mmCIF file of all heavy atoms in Angstrom:
data_model
loop_
_atom_site.group_PDB
_atom_site.id
_atom_site.type_symbol
_atom_site.label_atom_id
_atom_site.label_comp_id
_atom_site.label_asym_id
_atom_site.label_seq_id
_atom_site.Cartn_x
_atom_site.Cartn_y
_atom_site.Cartn_z
ATOM 1 N N ASN A 18 -18.019 -10.280 5.240
ATOM 2 C CA ASN A 18 -18.407 -11.573 5.953
ATOM 3 C C ASN A 18 -17.127 -12.227 6.498
ATOM 4 O O ASN A 18 -17.093 -12.768 7.632
ATOM 5 C CB ASN A 18 -19.167 -12.422 4.990
ATOM 6 C CG ASN A 18 -19.663 -13.671 5.771
ATOM 7 O OD1 ASN A 18 -20.389 -13.659 6.617
ATOM 8 N ND2 ASN A 18 -19.291 -14.816 5.140
ATOM 9 N N LYS A 19 -16.064 -12.262 5.687
ATOM 10 C CA LYS A 19 -14.819 -12.887 6.056
ATOM 11 C C LYS A 19 -14.236 -12.185 7.257
ATOM 12 O O LYS A 19 -13.724 -12.859 8.143
ATOM 13 C CB LYS A 19 -13.868 -12.916 4.906
ATOM 14 C CG LYS A 19 -14.070 -13.973 3.827
ATOM 15 C CD LYS A 19 -13.023 -14.028 2.803
ATOM 16 C CE LYS A 19 -11.689 -14.545 3.341
ATOM 17 N NZ LYS A 19 -11.750 -15.953 3.680
ATOM 18 N N ALA A 20 -14.206 -10.880 7.257
ATOM 19 C CA ALA A 20 -13.633 -10.008 8.255
ATOM 20 C C ALA A 20 -14.383 -10.261 9.594
ATOM 21 O O ALA A 20 -13.780 -10.362 10.677
ATOM 22 C CB ALA A 20 -13.667 -8.575 7.947
ATOM 23 N N LYS A 21 -15.709 -10.332 9.522
ATOM 24 C CA LYS A 21 -16.518 -10.463 10.695
ATOM 25 C C LYS A 21 -16.236 -11.807 11.405
ATOM 26 O O LYS A 21 -16.399 -11.975 12.583
ATOM 27 C CB LYS A 21 -18.069 -10.358 10.458
ATOM 28 C CG LYS A 21 -18.442 -8.873 10.180
ATOM 29 C CD LYS A 21 -19.972 -8.779 9.896
ATOM 30 C CE LYS A 21 -20.402 -7.412 9.880
ATOM 31 N NZ LYS A 21 -21.904 -7.322 9.521
ATOM 32 N N ASN A 22 -15.842 -12.817 10.657
ATOM 33 C CA ASN A 22 -15.576 -14.166 11.088
ATOM 34 C C ASN A 22 -14.185 -14.447 11.418
ATOM 35 O O ASN A 22 -13.840 -15.542 11.734
ATOM 36 C CB ASN A 22 -16.154 -15.118 10.167
ATOM 37 C CG ASN A 22 -17.644 -15.179 10.127
ATOM 38 O OD1 ASN A 22 -18.324 -15.643 11.099
ATOM 39 N ND2 ASN A 22 -18.347 -14.646 9.025
ATOM 40 N N HIS A 23 -13.321 -13.532 11.271
ATOM 41 C CA HIS A 23 -11.872 -13.650 11.596
ATOM 42 C C HIS A 23 -11.657 -13.382 13.080
ATOM 43 O O HIS A 23 -11.909 -12.304 13.544
ATOM 44 C CB HIS A 23 -10.980 -12.769 10.664
ATOM 45 C CG HIS A 23 -9.578 -13.308 10.509
ATOM 46 N ND1 HIS A 23 -8.736 -13.368 11.720
ATOM 47 C CD2 HIS A 23 -8.963 -13.835 9.589
ATOM 48 C CE1 HIS A 23 -7.551 -13.815 11.292
ATOM 49 N NE2 HIS A 23 -7.659 -14.089 9.966
ATOM 50 N N PRO A 24 -10.984 -14.262 13.785
ATOM 51 C CA PRO A 24 -10.722 -14.134 15.193
ATOM 52 C C PRO A 24 -9.789 -12.895 15.543
ATOM 53 O O PRO A 24 -9.881 -12.470 16.697
ATOM 54 C CB PRO A 24 -10.195 -15.488 15.629
ATOM 55 C CG PRO A 24 -9.611 -16.111 14.385
ATOM 56 C CD PRO A 24 -10.500 -15.553 13.354
ATOM 57 N N ASN A 25 -8.955 -12.578 14.687
ATOM 58 C CA ASN A 25 -8.049 -11.514 14.931
ATOM 59 C C ASN A 25 -8.424 -10.103 14.434
ATOM 60 O O ASN A 25 -7.659 -9.151 14.580
ATOM 61 C CB ASN A 25 -6.675 -11.897 14.278
ATOM 62 C CG ASN A 25 -5.810 -12.798 15.019
ATOM 63 O OD1 ASN A 25 -6.277 -13.314 16.039
ATOM 64 N ND2 ASN A 25 -4.695 -13.298 14.461
ATOM 65 N N ILE A 26 -9.681 -10.020 13.990
ATOM 66 C CA ILE A 26 -10.241 -8.685 13.519
ATOM 67 C C ILE A 26 -11.358 -8.270 14.349
ATOM 68 O O ILE A 26 -12.286 -9.019 14.664
ATOM 69 C CB ILE A 26 -10.700 -8.793 12.066
ATOM 70 C CG1 ILE A 26 -9.466 -9.161 11.174
ATOM 71 C CG2 ILE A 26 -11.338 -7.518 11.567
ATOM 72 C CD1 ILE A 26 -9.873 -9.348 9.603
ATOM 73 N N GLU A 27 -11.258 -7.085 14.901
ATOM 74 C CA GLU A 27 -12.373 -6.399 15.563
ATOM 75 C C GLU A 27 -12.794 -5.207 14.775
ATOM 76 O O GLU A 27 -12.016 -4.334 14.415
ATOM 77 C CB GLU A 27 -11.875 -6.036 17.016
ATOM 78 C CG GLU A 27 -12.982 -5.563 17.793
ATOM 79 C CD GLU A 27 -12.688 -5.407 19.352
ATOM 80 O OE1 GLU A 27 -11.561 -5.786 19.687
ATOM 81 O OE2 GLU A 27 -13.475 -4.845 20.159
ATOM 82 N N ILE A 28 -14.177 -5.132 14.582
ATOM 83 C CA ILE A 28 -14.686 -4.016 13.818
ATOM 84 C C ILE A 28 -15.435 -3.047 14.700
ATOM 85 O O ILE A 28 -16.264 -3.408 15.515
ATOM 86 C CB ILE A 28 -15.688 -4.582 12.729
ATOM 87 C CG1 ILE A 28 -14.914 -5.556 11.769
ATOM 88 C CG2 ILE A 28 -16.289 -3.379 11.878
ATOM 89 C CD1 ILE A 28 -15.906 -6.227 10.754
ATOM 90 N N PHE A 29 -15.085 -1.675 14.474
ATOM 91 C CA PHE A 29 -15.626 -0.669 15.360
ATOM 92 C C PHE A 29 -16.459 0.131 14.394
ATOM 93 O O PHE A 29 -16.060 1.083 13.755
ATOM 94 C CB PHE A 29 -14.535 0.115 15.941
ATOM 95 C CG PHE A 29 -13.721 -0.545 16.961
ATOM 96 C CD1 PHE A 29 -12.647 -1.304 16.632
ATOM 97 C CD2 PHE A 29 -14.035 -0.508 18.382
ATOM 98 C CE1 PHE A 29 -11.884 -2.000 17.580
ATOM 99 C CE2 PHE A 29 -13.310 -1.143 19.310
ATOM 100 C CZ PHE A 29 -12.223 -1.885 18.955
ATOM 101 N N GLU A 30 -17.770 -0.103 14.426
ATOM 102 C CA GLU A 30 -18.723 0.689 13.595
ATOM 103 C C GLU A 30 -19.119 1.954 14.312
ATOM 104 O O GLU A 30 -19.052 1.981 15.620
ATOM 105 C CB GLU A 30 -19.995 -0.178 13.323
ATOM 106 C CG GLU A 30 -19.743 -1.371 12.380
ATOM 107 C CD GLU A 30 -20.925 -2.046 12.000
ATOM 108 O OE1 GLU A 30 -21.818 -2.420 12.890
ATOM 109 O OE2 GLU A 30 -21.244 -2.332 10.766
ATOM 110 N N TYR A 31 -19.516 2.975 13.628
ATOM 111 C CA TYR A 31 -19.844 4.305 14.109
ATOM 112 C C TYR A 31 -18.747 4.860 15.063
ATOM 113 O O TYR A 31 -18.961 5.457 16.106
ATOM 114 C CB TYR A 31 -21.243 4.204 14.993
ATOM 115 C CG TYR A 31 -22.371 3.999 14.014
ATOM 116 C CD1 TYR A 31 -22.833 2.706 13.730
ATOM 117 C CD2 TYR A 31 -23.010 5.028 13.417
ATOM 118 C CE1 TYR A 31 -23.915 2.474 12.927
ATOM 119 C CE2 TYR A 31 -24.033 4.816 12.505
ATOM 120 C CZ TYR A 31 -24.527 3.543 12.259
ATOM 121 O OH TYR A 31 -25.513 3.305 11.367
ATOM 122 N N HIS A 32 -17.511 4.630 14.554
ATOM 123 C CA HIS A 32 -16.338 5.196 15.204
ATOM 124 C C HIS A 32 -15.632 6.097 14.159
ATOM 125 O O HIS A 32 -15.280 5.644 13.118
ATOM 126 C CB HIS A 32 -15.373 4.115 15.717
ATOM 127 C CG HIS A 32 -15.791 3.449 16.963
ATOM 128 N ND1 HIS A 32 -16.953 2.744 17.164
ATOM 129 C CD2 HIS A 32 -15.151 3.561 18.207
ATOM 130 C CE1 HIS A 32 -17.086 2.386 18.416
ATOM 131 N NE2 HIS A 32 -15.971 2.765 19.051
ATOM 132 N N PHE A 33 -15.428 7.267 14.563
ATOM 133 C CA PHE A 33 -14.926 8.329 13.533
ATOM 134 C C PHE A 33 -13.519 8.661 13.963
ATOM 135 O O PHE A 33 -13.237 9.184 15.021
ATOM 136 C CB PHE A 33 -15.783 9.514 13.682
ATOM 137 C CG PHE A 33 -15.435 10.632 12.609
ATOM 138 C CD1 PHE A 33 -16.144 10.682 11.448
ATOM 139 C CD2 PHE A 33 -14.472 11.535 12.796
ATOM 140 C CE1 PHE A 33 -15.803 11.598 10.407
ATOM 141 C CE2 PHE A 33 -14.122 12.465 11.884
ATOM 142 C CZ PHE A 33 -14.807 12.524 10.662
ATOM 143 N N ALA A 34 -12.510 8.379 13.060
ATOM 144 C CA ALA A 34 -11.118 8.678 13.307
ATOM 145 C C ALA A 34 -10.959 10.144 13.050
ATOM 146 O O ALA A 34 -11.223 10.727 12.058
ATOM 147 C CB ALA A 34 -10.239 7.976 12.352
ATOM 148 N N MET A 35 -10.504 10.894 14.148
ATOM 149 C CA MET A 35 -10.386 12.329 14.151
ATOM 150 C C MET A 35 -9.055 12.856 13.942
ATOM 151 O O MET A 35 -8.931 13.873 13.262
ATOM 152 C CB MET A 35 -10.887 12.927 15.496
ATOM 153 C CG MET A 35 -12.345 12.580 15.801
ATOM 154 S SD MET A 35 -12.717 12.967 17.505
ATOM 155 C CE MET A 35 -11.512 14.105 18.045
ATOM 156 N N GLU A 36 -8.057 12.205 14.485
ATOM 157 C CA GLU A 36 -6.666 12.744 14.499
ATOM 158 C C GLU A 36 -5.634 11.663 14.577
ATOM 159 O O GLU A 36 -5.793 10.805 15.383
ATOM 160 C CB GLU A 36 -6.582 13.737 15.621
ATOM 161 C CG GLU A 36 -5.444 14.710 15.575
ATOM 162 C CD GLU A 36 -5.583 15.775 16.586
ATOM 163 O OE1 GLU A 36 -6.614 16.416 16.677
ATOM 164 O OE2 GLU A 36 -4.599 16.018 17.317
ATOM 165 N N LEU A 37 -4.623 11.777 13.753
ATOM 166 C CA LEU A 37 -3.489 10.780 13.756
ATOM 167 C C LEU A 37 -2.585 11.197 14.912
ATOM 168 O O LEU A 37 -2.323 12.384 15.171
ATOM 169 C CB LEU A 37 -2.745 10.694 12.510
ATOM 170 C CG LEU A 37 -3.540 10.249 11.258
ATOM 171 C CD1 LEU A 37 -2.625 10.389 9.983
ATOM 172 C CD2 LEU A 37 -4.054 8.797 11.450
ATOM 173 N N LEU A 38 -2.055 10.160 15.623
ATOM 174 C CA LEU A 38 -1.177 10.372 16.834
ATOM 175 C C LEU A 38 0.172 10.389 16.422
ATOM 176 O O LEU A 38 0.749 9.357 15.764
ATOM 177 C CB LEU A 38 -1.475 9.345 17.909
ATOM 178 C CG LEU A 38 -2.867 9.179 18.375
ATOM 179 C CD1 LEU A 38 -2.959 8.094 19.440
ATOM 180 C CD2 LEU A 38 -3.365 10.520 19.042
ATOM 181 N N THR A 39 0.948 11.433 16.668
ATOM 182 C CA THR A 39 2.322 11.568 16.258
ATOM 183 C C THR A 39 3.148 12.203 17.414
ATOM 184 O O THR A 39 2.599 12.383 18.480
ATOM 185 C CB THR A 39 2.524 12.462 14.979
ATOM 186 O OG1 THR A 39 2.222 13.791 15.342
ATOM 187 C CG2 THR A 39 1.651 11.975 13.856
ATOM 188 N N GLU A 40 4.401 12.536 17.179
ATOM 189 C CA GLU A 40 5.199 13.224 18.180
ATOM 190 C C GLU A 40 4.656 14.490 18.607
ATOM 191 O O GLU A 40 4.978 14.987 19.689
ATOM 192 C CB GLU A 40 6.619 13.392 17.634
ATOM 193 C CG GLU A 40 7.493 12.166 17.613
ATOM 194 C CD GLU A 40 7.350 11.310 16.372
ATOM 195 O OE1 GLU A 40 6.450 11.636 15.516
ATOM 196 O OE2 GLU A 40 8.088 10.393 16.120
ATOM 197 N N HIS A 41 3.747 15.116 17.808
ATOM 198 C CA HIS A 41 3.120 16.378 18.126
ATOM 199 C C HIS A 41 2.337 16.219 19.497
ATOM 200 O O HIS A 41 2.340 17.088 20.308
ATOM 201 C CB HIS A 41 2.132 16.768 17.016
ATOM 202 C CG HIS A 41 1.129 17.847 17.449
ATOM 203 N ND1 HIS A 41 1.587 19.147 17.506
ATOM 204 C CD2 HIS A 41 -0.113 17.701 17.744
ATOM 205 C CE1 HIS A 41 0.520 19.874 17.972
ATOM 206 N NE2 HIS A 41 -0.473 19.049 18.115
ATOM 207 N N HIS A 42 1.813 14.993 19.687
ATOM 208 C CA HIS A 42 1.013 14.750 20.885
ATOM 209 C C HIS A 42 1.915 14.429 22.112
ATOM 210 O O HIS A 42 1.334 14.289 23.263
ATOM 211 C CB HIS A 42 0.024 13.627 20.676
ATOM 212 C CG HIS A 42 -0.953 13.958 19.536
ATOM 213 N ND1 HIS A 42 -0.745 13.660 18.266
ATOM 214 C CD2 HIS A 42 -2.126 14.653 19.524
ATOM 215 C CE1 HIS A 42 -1.737 14.059 17.507
ATOM 216 N NE2 HIS A 42 -2.619 14.730 18.213
ATOM 217 N N LEU A 43 3.176 14.318 21.852
ATOM 218 C CA LEU A 43 4.139 14.151 22.973
ATOM 219 C C LEU A 43 4.932 15.543 23.245
ATOM 220 O O LEU A 43 5.830 15.526 23.979
ATOM 221 C CB LEU A 43 5.064 13.092 22.582
ATOM 222 C CG LEU A 43 4.562 11.720 22.501
ATOM 223 C CD1 LEU A 43 5.589 10.762 21.922
ATOM 224 C CD2 LEU A 43 4.032 11.172 23.806
ATOM 225 N N GLY A 44 4.351 16.575 22.565
ATOM 226 C CA GLY A 44 5.005 17.898 22.852
ATOM 227 C C GLY A 44 6.079 18.372 21.933
ATOM 228 O O GLY A 44 6.654 19.492 22.037
ATOM 229 N N ALA A 45 6.473 17.472 20.861
ATOM 230 C CA ALA A 45 7.530 17.840 19.979
ATOM 231 C C ALA A 45 7.043 18.783 18.816
ATOM 232 O O ALA A 45 5.815 18.700 18.515
ATOM 233 C CB ALA A 45 8.078 16.539 19.369
ATOM 234 N N LYS A 46 7.912 19.524 18.332
ATOM 235 C CA LYS A 46 7.595 20.393 17.137
ATOM 236 C C LYS A 46 7.978 19.486 15.844
ATOM 237 O O LYS A 46 9.144 19.330 15.524
ATOM 238 C CB LYS A 46 8.383 21.609 17.094
ATOM 239 C CG LYS A 46 7.985 22.536 18.290
ATOM 240 C CD LYS A 46 8.789 23.880 18.257
ATOM 241 C CE LYS A 46 8.473 24.791 19.368
ATOM 242 N NZ LYS A 46 9.170 26.100 19.480
ATOM 243 N N VAL A 47 6.924 18.962 15.244
ATOM 244 C CA VAL A 47 7.213 17.935 14.186
ATOM 245 C C VAL A 47 7.926 18.546 12.984
ATOM 246 O O VAL A 47 8.614 17.882 12.269
ATOM 247 C CB VAL A 47 5.899 17.331 13.726
ATOM 248 C CG1 VAL A 47 5.292 16.430 14.787
ATOM 249 C CG2 VAL A 47 4.832 18.343 13.267
ATOM 250 N N LYS A 48 7.842 19.862 12.813
ATOM 251 C CA LYS A 48 8.549 20.501 11.736
ATOM 252 C C LYS A 48 10.086 20.338 11.873
ATOM 253 O O LYS A 48 10.788 20.444 10.890
ATOM 254 C CB LYS A 48 8.123 21.983 11.531
ATOM 255 C CG LYS A 48 6.753 22.134 10.915
ATOM 256 C CD LYS A 48 6.431 23.617 10.754
ATOM 257 C CE LYS A 48 5.124 23.860 10.028
ATOM 258 N NZ LYS A 48 4.763 25.240 9.822
ATOM 259 N N GLU A 49 10.602 20.190 13.161
ATOM 260 C CA GLU A 49 11.984 20.144 13.494
ATOM 261 C C GLU A 49 12.469 18.692 13.379
ATOM 262 O O GLU A 49 13.675 18.483 13.633
ATOM 263 C CB GLU A 49 12.200 20.767 14.781
ATOM 264 C CG GLU A 49 11.812 22.242 14.831
ATOM 265 C CD GLU A 49 11.943 22.876 16.143
ATOM 266 O OE1 GLU A 49 12.367 22.154 17.112
ATOM 267 O OE2 GLU A 49 11.699 24.084 16.363
ATOM 268 N N LEU A 50 11.575 17.715 13.219
ATOM 269 C CA LEU A 50 12.023 16.361 13.259
ATOM 270 C C LEU A 50 12.462 15.790 11.865
ATOM 271 O O LEU A 50 11.850 16.192 10.877
ATOM 272 C CB LEU A 50 10.903 15.463 13.684
ATOM 273 C CG LEU A 50 10.320 15.757 15.175
ATOM 274 C CD1 LEU A 50 9.092 14.837 15.466
ATOM 275 C CD2 LEU A 50 11.381 15.482 16.228
ATOM 276 N N ASP A 51 13.441 15.006 11.880
ATOM 277 C CA ASP A 51 13.871 14.368 10.626
ATOM 278 C C ASP A 51 12.804 13.348 10.198
ATOM 279 O O ASP A 51 12.506 13.265 8.978
ATOM 280 C CB ASP A 51 15.171 13.606 10.809
ATOM 281 C CG ASP A 51 16.361 14.567 11.022
ATOM 282 O OD1 ASP A 51 16.329 15.610 10.583
ATOM 283 O OD2 ASP A 51 17.313 14.150 11.759
ATOM 284 N N LYS A 52 12.145 12.638 11.138
ATOM 285 C CA LYS A 52 11.113 11.741 10.799
ATOM 286 C C LYS A 52 9.990 11.848 11.748
ATOM 287 O O LYS A 52 10.083 12.079 12.971
ATOM 288 C CB LYS A 52 11.630 10.261 10.857
ATOM 289 C CG LYS A 52 12.617 9.883 9.769
ATOM 290 C CD LYS A 52 12.921 8.444 9.756
ATOM 291 C CE LYS A 52 13.857 8.003 8.632
ATOM 292 N NZ LYS A 52 14.246 6.542 8.748
ATOM 293 N N ILE A 53 8.731 11.743 11.233
ATOM 294 C CA ILE A 53 7.522 11.765 12.066
ATOM 295 C C ILE A 53 7.068 10.352 12.077
ATOM 296 O O ILE A 53 7.083 9.604 11.054
ATOM 297 C CB ILE A 53 6.494 12.692 11.511
ATOM 298 C CG1 ILE A 53 7.068 14.106 11.316
ATOM 299 C CG2 ILE A 53 5.235 12.724 12.335
ATOM 300 C CD1 ILE A 53 6.096 14.992 10.483
#
């Protein structure tokens, strides 16, 4: 109830997070990176 009434919070129901975005999606080989 508090979250629904907070002006800075938007809730996305029935939204499924599939994949985290990293340097991999920019074409980098993440295994070769010091930091991801």
